[in-house]
Amino acid sequence: MPSLRTGEDDRRMFEVERKRELPDAAVFRQRLDALGYRESSSHTEVDTCYSRPDIDFMATVECLRVRRREGFAEVTYKPPSDAAAHSPDDVITKQEINVELADADQAGAADALLRAVGMVELVRVEKARTTYRHPDAEDPVVSIDVVTGVGAFIETEVTAVDSDAAAERLRGAERALDASDYPPVRLPYRDLVLAAREAASTTGG
């Protein structure tokens, strides 16, 4: 998830990512293992995504969500996308505001608050995420996501003070992972889940 965070030294750190379709997750896991990557976490995440009644966040490619997993919950906002946010090769760089909640039980309170101020629930996205890191490097962070009702994806992410430098490191990481041939995915999981549900309802599935 591309984001802009402020660290303890007040530097603005860009997280730059690219998502790709993953035709065979088992094969890619073997590749990560051969390159020395190790699993750092594995969990199921559930995102409840919202929009405003007067602005279609699907059209603006804007994001407001409550994320929950075991022992963790946060509220995230990502501003509208523009041409600067998406490079021609689908590297995504965006500012992001994350508010970590006191505990996972607070996710329900966050949902209630957003509904109380008029936000409209769009969809719930459930995914099984396994994250990998190399013991000799801070990044890239590589995640294999299996999204319920949609499919499997690889998400590669790097962090740097300079967004251009982060994007270049991301491209280099993908080349090293031999992932460059996998089709890039421009849409967020929210949109993919909604599209899959619409297609299923149209075909009667």
Side-chain angles (χ1 to χ4, degrees):
M1 61 206 70
S3 67
L4 178 62
R5 298 173 185 269
T6 302
E8 290 182 359
D9 58 358
D10 205 33
R11 293 185 304 169
R12 294 155 67 86
M13 299 295 290
F14 283 92
E15 293 179 2
V16 181
E17 71 171 23
R18 180 157 41 203
K19 181 163 66 251
R20 295 179 180 272
E21 292 182 27
L22 189 57
D24 192 326
V27 169
F28 193 74
R29 285 190 179 96
Q30 292 174 356
R31 187 179 306 164
L32 288 170
D33 184 65
L35 291 170
Y37 282 79
R38 297 293 179 262
E39 181 180 320
S40 62
S41 65
S42 182
H43 49 254
T44 296
E45 291 182 342
V46 179
D47 294 343
T48 305
C49 303
Y50 292 88
S51 184
R52 282 172 50 175
D54 57 331
I55 297 176
D56 182 1
F57 282 8
M58 297 284 290
T60 60
V61 197
E62 205 164 346
C63 173
L64 177 63
R65 72 172 182 231
V66 177
R67 168 168 292 174
R68 67 200 78 200
R69 61 177 181 262
E70 185 177 358
F72 175 85
E74 70 176 359
V75 179
T76 295
Y77 173 72
K78 301 180 189 181
S81 287
D82 56 23
H86 291 262
S87 72
D89 57 350
D90 293 308
V91 174
I92 302 173
T93 307
K94 255 190 177 185
Q95 294 185 0
E96 180 176 296
I97 299 171
N98 296 286
V99 179
E100 186 172 340
L101 304 179
D103 56 59
D105 292 338
Q106 291 296 308
D111 287 323
L113 173 63
L114 292 177
R115 289 193 295 267
V117 297
M119 294 300 171
V120 179
E121 182 176 329
L122 291 174
V123 69
R124 288 167 66 91
V125 178
E126 181 174 330
K127 69 177 180 287
R129 164 167 285 192
T130 306
T131 300
Y132 298 84
R133 296 175 182 266
H134 197 286
D136 297 332
E138 292 246 341
D139 54 39
V141 178
V142 182
S143 297
I144 294 177
D145 292 332
V146 180
V147 183
T148 301
V150 178
F153 304 86
I154 171 180
E155 194 169 270
T156 308
E157 181 182 285
V158 299
T159 305
V161 175
D162 185 295
S163 62
D164 291 334
E168 187 55 40
R169 282 162 56 190
L170 171 62
R171 296 182 182 100
E174 287 188 324
R175 288 192 295 268
L177 292 166
D178 197 21
S180 299
D181 290 338
Y182 295 153
V185 177
R186 189 180 182 91
L187 294 176
Y189 292 138
R190 173 199 67 188
D191 298 46
L192 297 176
V193 170
L194 283 168
R197 291 185 181 179
E198 182 176 346
S201 65
T202 300
T203 59

